[in-house]
Amino acid sequence: MKNIVFKAALLSIAIISSVASADIVDPNDEKLIFSYDVDPGILNGELISVDHEIGTLEAFDYSESTFSFWVNITGTESSWASIFHIGNFNGERYPGVWLYEGSSLMHYRMATKDDYNASVGPEPFLPFNEWVMVTSTLSGGITTLYLNDEIINQVEREIDWTPFEGEVWSIYAGDPWHLAAPGYIDDIRVYDMALTQEGVSDLVVSNIVANDVGAPFLSSILLLGLGLFGRQKKQQQ
C-alpha cells in the first residue's frame, strides 16, 4: 500500500509538471517541418487578421504530408474570410482555408498539378466559440480531412507535385487577399509525412488533456496522493 500511494503522489507531481511546462510530446516531431504556437500547450491562440504572415516554409513535395491547426471561430463575414493559407499568392493554395460568406462553413482547398483550387470537401460547418482541430493528410493519392479526430471526407487525388527548387512559401493566419475570419488560431503544424488517424487523435487528446482537464483537477489528484501518503506515514509512527 505504501508503495502504491507513494507512486500515486509522484505520478501526480509528474503529470502537473508536464502540463505546467506546456510541452506536448509528439512522437512524429522528427517529421515536423513547421510549427507555430505562441502559447504551447494552452489553447488561447492568436487573432486571425488580414495579411498576418506567421512564418515561411521551404517548398516541398506534399504528396505525403499533414497540415494541422486549431481554430476558434467567433463570427462570420460578409465575404470570403481567410483562416489559414500557405503560398505566395492567392492561386497558390498549399493549402488555403476560408469561411464561406455569411457562414461558418469551411472552404478547404489544396492545389494539385492540374487544379490550383482542388476541393477536399464536402467540408464541415465550424462551431462558434469552440476550439476544434482541422487536419488534412495526403498519402497514396488519398486526401483525408479531419475535424478533431473524426474523418469528414476522403478524396482520391494525385498531387503529382514538384516544387521549384529553392522556392519558399509564406504561411498566413489570415491571407492578404481576403477578409480575415473572425476568430483565433493556434498550434499550427506541418509534417513531411501523413499522420495516421491514431496520430491525429493523439494530437487532439494531448491538447484536450492540457486544457480541459487542467491544473485544478490535477492538483486535486496531487493533494489526494500526498494526503494518503501523509496518512500512511502517520499510521506508521
Side-chain angles (χ1 to χ4, degrees):
M1 176 66 177
K2 176 183 176 181
N3 288 337
I4 293 174
V5 173
F6 182 67
K7 288 179 180 178
L10 290 180
L11 179 60
S12 302
I13 295 171
I15 293 172
I16 291 175
S17 297
S18 174
V19 173
S21 68
D23 290 329
I24 297 177
V25 178
D26 182 358
N28 301 302
D29 273 352
E30 63 181 22
K31 289 290 189 175
L32 185 66
I33 57 175
F34 178 85
S35 65
Y36 183 82
D37 193 348
V38 294
D39 49 6
I42 303 173
L43 288 177
N44 285 331
E46 193 160 280
L47 185 68
I48 300 168
S49 55
V50 176
D51 197 11
H52 182 21
E53 184 176 3
I54 58 173
T56 59
L57 175 66
E58 186 175 343
F60 73 106
D61 177 0
Y62 54 84
S63 57
E64 295 285 332
S65 62
T66 301
F67 301 85
S68 179
F69 59 86
W70 286 80
V71 64
N72 185 343
I73 295 300
T74 59
T76 64
E77 278 290 358
S78 58
S79 185
W80 295 102
S82 172
I83 298 173
F84 178 66
H85 190 105
I86 298 180
N88 296 327
F89 57 91
N90 189 24
E92 289 186 338
R93 300 177 175 184
Y94 312 133
V97 187
W98 299 263
L99 295 181
Y100 280 81
E101 57 269 30
S103 173
S104 68
L105 180 63
M106 185 172 65
H107 182 71
Y108 199 116
R109 294 295 182 264
M110 176 68 74
T112 67
K113 182 178 180 180
D114 300 319
D115 184 0
Y116 81 95
N117 198 42
S119 172
V120 299
E123 300 99 330
F125 286 89
L126 297 177
F128 291 112
N129 303 307
E130 178 184 337
W131 283 103
V132 291
M133 192 175 84
V134 176
T135 304
S136 65
T137 63
L138 298 89
S139 181
I142 302 294
T143 300
T144 304
L145 179 66
Y146 294 86
L147 188 63
N148 294 324
D149 58 356
E150 179 184 353
I151 294 177
I152 299 300
N153 194 44
Q154 289 184 307
V155 294
E156 293 187 22
R157 182 168 292 113
E158 290 291 343
I159 298 301
D160 192 21
W161 178 256
T162 303
F164 294 109
E165 184 176 354
E167 184 179 7
V168 175
W169 295 330
S170 293
I171 303 179
Y172 295 97
D175 71 32
W177 310 287
H178 300 86
L179 298 176
Y184 298 86
I185 194 167
D186 207 347
D187 195 13
I188 299 166
R189 296 168 179 244
V190 180
Y191 295 89
D192 191 14
M193 64 173 289
L195 294 182
T196 63
Q197 186 170 11
E198 181 181 3
V200 173
S201 181
D202 287 345
L203 285 184
V204 175
V205 169
S206 63
N207 262 304
I208 289 175
V209 168
N211 289 273
D212 290 348
V213 172
F217 175 73
L218 295 175
S219 295
S220 67
I221 297 175
L222 173 61
L223 291 174
L224 175 62
L226 293 178
L228 290 172
F229 181 58
R231 181 180 178 183
Q232 182 73 16
K233 287 189 65 178
K234 185 175 181 180
Q235 290 175 349
Q236 293 174 347
Q237 291 176 351

